[in-house]
Each structure stands twice: as structure tokens, then as C-alpha cells.
Amino acid sequence: MKLTAIIVEDEETSRDILKNYLKKYCPNVSVIGEASNVEEALVLIRNNDLDLVFLDVEMPYGNAFDLLDKVGDINFETIFVTAYNHYAIEALNAHASYYLMKPISIDALIKAVDYVTEIKTKENALQDQVLVPKTHTVNGKITIPQLDGFEVINTADILFCKADDNYTEIHLNTNKKKIVSKTLKYFEDILVDSSFARVHKSYLVNVNEVVKYVKGKGGSVVLSNGKEIMVSASRKSDLLSYFQ
């Protein structure tokens, strides 16, 4: 996986060496910025979504630990790069992922990056499990994935779901629509115990929102918002079973 990184190092030569090593031996690392002191590093950290920070310990006007204290809530991995081995315990206490000694060993650098890559891969795998709707509802709720996390939706607020190829449109009673990259069958399965009926190959309706049924071969249902949805003949009995 790709890792977005910055290099925090006061010596330009050292920054260039590390950057060149990463480009040649660790192509999954994308260095998007460099800083020579604590203040420059703070700006980069606060303005970017980072996976990894390569961090020298001693810098002008503060050190690596001052920087981490100012950052506060750290959501990236840290690889310390220093010429001094007596900072190792402090680095460990600062939850460093790795500790590299100068001059940098290429093998050690590759090992450090591989270690961070493994950490981030596991984090993303866990996040993916959280950000998709569960295989069941929890207290009448499902989660809808978003770029920055997930939105929790009450199933009672859903009027109907409509298929759109491999996507599903979720229509809410607030006149809002959510589009999720899951099939309608997926939502049919997770809402099976929440009074939702598949009335058509393209529609899943909240039976609690049905205000009228219109007779016909399959007929149609009218929802509380006035939306009329055709009912397939093969789905008619399933729908009517909710009202018998």
C-alpha cells in the first residue's frame, strides 16, 4: 500500500539522502513535504493526512519530542532517524514504530518501512470492517461508509432503497438520498429483520412507510411521501404477508 510521508530533519544533505533511498528502495512511500524545524513540521502535519513521519531527534528550537507533544493526538506512525542511540528509550515511550541510526542502513530502512506498511495495512483492514454496514442491524441502525468515516442511519428513517447497478440509492424520509457502493441484495439481507420487503428487482421498501396498496397483477404501493412503486407479481405475496 502507498504511504504518505514527510521528512523532518534540519540537515539538507541528510534529507536528500533519505529521500533518494526511499525513492529507490521504498517506492510505496510518497514524500510530500520536508521540514527543517519543529514549526515547519507542525504546519505539514496539521495540513496533511499523513501515514508516516521520518523524524530527526535534535533540531533547532526544539527536538522531536517537543514536536510530538505539540501535535497531541497522533494519527501517524513515526520512524526516528538519529545519530544518537541514547534517545531510544524516549522514542519507545513516544510510541515510535522504528528507530534508525545514522548513517542509514538501506536494509534497516526497508525493514522499517515494511513494518509500518504492515501496521497501516492492518489498520485499513479493520477500518473497512467498521465502515460498511453490518450483517445485522444494531438497535435499528446501520452505518453508511463515507470518505472520512461513516454515518449512522436509523432504519426507521429509510423510505426505500433503489438498485443502481452495483450501487444502492437509500432514500430517507428527510428527502435526502445516500448512494452506497453495495448491491440491493446486500441491503435486503441486512434489513431482513427490520420490516423491509423486496417488492421489485430494483426496490426494497420500508413496510412501515406503506400507506396504500393498489391492486393489479403485481400492483403497486404508495409510500408516506407519495412515492408510488410497482410491485412484481412474483413479489406480491411477500409484501401482502406483512398485512395479513
Side-chain angles (χ1 to χ4, degrees):
M1 66 174 292
K2 284 287 186 181
L3 298 176
T4 301
I6 63 170
I7 297 172
V8 183
E9 162 69 63
D10 63 317
E11 296 180 358
E12 184 177 359
T13 301
S14 296
R15 292 199 303 270
D16 289 342
I17 290 172
L18 177 54
K19 189 165 55 176
N20 289 334
Y21 280 177
L22 289 169
K23 183 177 181 180
K24 186 173 182 179
Y25 300 105
C26 305
N28 66 314
V29 177
S30 175
V31 178
I32 64 169
E34 302 172 35
S36 61
N37 56 57
V38 170
E39 294 306 317
E40 289 178 359
L42 271 176
V43 172
L44 286 174
I45 290 170
R46 288 171 177 168
N47 291 332
N48 294 281
D49 185 13
L50 301 174
D51 297 307
L52 175 60
V53 173
F54 292 92
L55 186 56
D56 188 15
V57 176
E58 294 192 347
M59 293 175 286
Y61 315 113
N63 62 29
F65 306 106
D66 297 326
L67 171 61
L68 295 177
D69 285 342
K70 290 184 178 182
V71 170
D73 187 14
I74 297 172
N75 58 3
F76 52 82
E77 301 301 318
T78 306
I79 294 178
F80 278 80
V81 184
T82 179
Y84 307 96
N85 59 16
H86 58 271
Y87 289 114
I89 298 299
E90 286 183 84
L92 181 64
N93 291 334
H95 305 290
S97 298
Y98 223 89
Y99 193 91
L100 294 176
M101 292 293 298
K102 295 179 183 177
I104 297 173
S105 159
I106 293 172
D107 288 341
L109 176 62
I110 294 172
K111 187 175 180 180
V113 169
D114 285 348
Y115 181 70
V116 171
T117 301
E118 182 179 355
I119 291 174
K120 301 304 289 187
T121 299
K122 289 179 179 178
E123 284 182 2
N124 287 349
L126 178 61
Q127 186 182 60
D128 287 343
Q129 292 176 22
V130 173
L131 297 185
V132 298
K134 303 292 187 181
T135 54
H136 60 279
T137 58
V138 179
N139 296 325
K141 300 178 187 293
I142 60 172
T143 58
I144 302 300
Q146 297 180 331
L147 290 176
D148 59 349
F150 62 88
E151 180 180 358
V152 179
I153 292 179
N154 292 318
T155 55
D157 293 336
I158 301 174
L159 290 172
F160 64 94
C161 301
K162 179 182 178 183
D164 183 8
D165 292 329
N166 289 324
Y167 290 81
T168 297
E169 297 177 3
I170 300 176
H171 292 256
L172 305 175
N173 56 19
T174 56
N175 291 323
K176 292 184 178 180
K177 178 175 70 175
K178 309 289 182 180
I179 300 178
V180 185
S181 59
K182 293 289 181 181
T183 64
L184 188 62
K185 179 63 166 62
Y186 183 87
F187 284 98
E188 181 182 9
D189 290 341
I190 67 171
L191 293 171
V192 65
D193 296 323
S194 301
S195 297
F196 280 77
R198 184 78 173 264
V199 298
H200 187 276
K201 67 177 183 179
S202 298
Y203 286 94
L204 180 70
V205 302
N206 184 346
V207 178
N208 292 312
E209 296 293 333
V210 174
V211 297
K212 184 178 181 180
Y213 171 74
V214 180
K215 290 182 178 180
K217 184 177 181 181
S220 63
V221 290
V222 179
L223 303 182
S224 59
N225 68 339
K227 171 75 173 178
E228 185 172 2
I229 296 174
M230 298 302 296
V231 178
S232 299
S234 60
R235 305 275 183 175
K236 181 177 178 179
S237 60
D238 292 338
L239 170 69
L240 295 182
S241 67
Y242 282 90
F243 300 98
Q244 293 174 350

